[in-house]
Amino acid sequence: MMIVMRDGAPDDEVQGVIDKLHAIGAEAHLSRGEFKTVIGAIGDREKISEIPLAALPGVETVIPIMKPYKLVSREFHPENTVVKVGPVEIGGEDFVVIAGPCAVESEEQVIDAAKAAKEQGARILRGGAFKPRTSPYSFQGLGEEGLKLLARAREITGLPVVSEVVDVRYVVVVANHVDVLQIGARNMQNFLLLREVGMQQKPVLLKRGMSSTVEELLMAAEYIVRGGNTNVILCERGIRTFETATRNTLDLSSVPLVKSLSHLPIIVDPCHATGKRELIAALAKGALAVGADGAMIEIHPDPQAALCDGPQSLDFEQFRAMMEELKAVAPSLGRRI
Ligand code: PEP
Ligand code: MN
């Protein structure tokens, strides 16, 4: 249920509505937009409907939200959410490029990649320290040591960092070192993990599960926002289809679809979507054209020698060329790189 307050309704009237909801054990999620203050009421429908909400002081109207996701829906919050990561804003005018190695392998590798990312205009550094690998025999990441190397790369370049958290036991450790917590495709429906990152305040980059619908992605985001953390960035990273020519199939249609259904920002990861470095620049431009808020790109000083995802990683020259292309087209789409 969405309770829309009258323009200029004073704080005590807003609080009056919240108190009534709390009194029957319902949750009240407050959204103060530029024009409207809206309270999202979540709880037992029958109990909520027994409160004469429409008659409370300051209430303009009461509207049911028909979608299964509530707090992340555009109905609840009509304006775009802009997630701030230090000085970087995701969801505004900027098309934010996040770049870095699939996995942090060594100090030299991650610092070289961070410098190359920064030099070409990337705004955030990525790097996996805890890697969710299909095979237990593959490189699993450097763990906390990898997080420390990312923090060192941030010190040197000033770029904020994002890294994946794969388990509830590591949320605090990862949050202590990084600026954005990534939830990977394999964990998109790890509901305990979603709850846990929802209870801390660092922004969360939530990747679409490889076999998940857009609705399931938004329901996963709802878990995080419901916990009190509204700083969620969605990421389209391709889904599994019958097509085997690419690692996954990049569902670019999800970007404008998500934009219409939700106020949350969404970026695109063309690397995991295709598994092929020669397709990345074209699809990064596609992401920009369909209205994504950014792209996440894997880069490596020597992709042939990468311990993870080398075939979908760009070397620094290829990354430079891709950034040039993006910088050339961004202004015509009203975006800044
Ligand atoms: C990653 O970005 O490092 C990653 C593992 O991607 P995904 O979860 O999309 O497979
Ligand atoms: Mn990868």
Side-chain angles (χ1 to χ4, degrees):
M1 205 71 88
M2 210 166 81
I3 300 138
V4 183
M5 302 302 291
R6 284 203 190 95
D7 289 353
D11 286 352
D12 62 324
E13 290 184 349
V14 174
Q15 194 54 49
V17 175
I18 293 173
D19 291 346
K20 287 267 189 248
L21 290 167
H22 284 167
I24 57 141
E27 289 171 27
H29 295 265
L30 187 60
S31 162
R32 283 191 193 274
E34 199 180 327
F35 304 108
K36 290 271 173 229
T37 293
V38 176
I39 300 162
I42 296 184
D44 186 319
R45 258 179 182 271
E46 270 185 31
K47 279 195 188 159
I48 294 174
S49 64
E50 280 166 17
I51 310 174
L53 287 167
L56 294 180
V59 173
E60 184 176 280
T61 170
V62 180
I63 308 167
I65 301 180
M66 304 313 283
K67 304 256 170 37
Y69 43 88
K70 315 285 179 196
L71 305 174
V72 304
S73 73
R74 230 195 233 280
E75 286 154 284
F76 175 57
H77 193 280
E79 292 129 37
N80 289 336
T81 284
V82 177
V83 175
K84 292 194 177 68
V85 181
V88 184
E89 292 191 344
I90 305 177
E93 203 183 325
D94 293 353
F95 182 81
V96 174
V97 175
I98 301 173
C102 176
V104 178
E105 298 170 7
S106 69
E107 178 161 1
E108 192 186 1
Q109 174 245 19
V110 72
I111 289 173
D112 283 358
K115 285 181 179 164
K118 165 107 186 201
E119 201 174 306
Q120 301 308 328
R123 309 283 306 282
I124 297 176
L125 173 67
R126 65 150 285 146
F130 295 91
K131 293 304 301 176
R133 302 303 298 276
T134 301
S135 166
Y137 304 111
S138 302
F139 176 58
Q140 303 286 308
L142 296 180
E144 193 169 0
E145 180 55 26
L147 298 175
K148 289 182 184 158
L149 295 178
L150 279 171
R152 176 95 190 97
R154 173 181 49 211
E155 248 173 60
I156 293 172
T157 59
L159 293 178
V161 301
V162 54
S163 196
E164 180 166 350
V165 55
V166 292
D167 191 283
V168 283
R169 287 169 295 181
Y170 294 106
V171 170
V172 174
V173 177
V174 178
N176 278 342
H177 292 286
V178 307
D179 304 283
V180 179
L181 292 165
Q182 179 172 320
I183 302 286
R186 289 156 194 80
N187 267 317
M188 190 206 83
Q189 286 192 313
N190 181 338
F191 301 116
L192 285 181
L193 184 57
L194 297 175
R195 281 214 188 115
E196 203 69 27
V197 297
M199 288 189 298
Q200 56 86 55
Q201 283 310 307
K202 291 254 163 105
V204 176
L205 175 62
L206 176 65
K207 299 189 85 173
R208 180 177 180 181
M210 60 185 85
S211 301
S212 299
T213 63
V214 164
E215 185 166 294
E216 286 163 342
L217 171 64
L218 294 173
M219 292 305 285
E222 185 86 4
Y223 267 91
I224 302 171
V225 175
R226 189 176 171 220
N229 186 353
T230 52
N231 298 309
V232 179
I233 306 150
L234 304 170
C235 180
E236 169 59 54
R237 49 77 74 203
I239 49 174
R240 279 209 170 151
T241 67
F242 59 84
E243 180 57 82
T244 53
T246 47
R247 184 174 177 182
N248 291 288
T249 297
L250 180 56
D251 179 14
L252 273 185
S253 62
S254 73
V255 173
L257 181 62
V258 162
K259 288 260 161 210
S260 71
L261 298 173
S262 174
H263 52 88
L264 295 176
I266 178 165
I267 67 165
V268 170
D269 170 353
C271 301
H272 292 88
T274 62
K276 288 187 153 68
R277 78 168 62 84
E278 58 277 19
L279 304 181
I280 292 168
L283 292 172
K285 277 187 288 178
L288 178 58
V290 296
D293 296 298
M296 184 153 85
I297 309 292
E298 290 185 332
I299 62 173
H300 194 284
D302 181 8
Q304 313 297 337
L307 297 180
C308 185
D309 287 350
Q312 63 186 43
S313 301
L314 302 182
D315 67 24
F316 299 161
E317 172 49 31
Q318 289 157 344
F319 181 61
R320 187 200 59 73
M322 185 208 75
M323 291 298 282
E324 287 302 310
E325 288 186 53
L326 290 178
K327 286 173 198 164
V329 290
S332 66
L333 292 158
R335 304 303 286 272
R336 244 180 357 212
I337 303 261

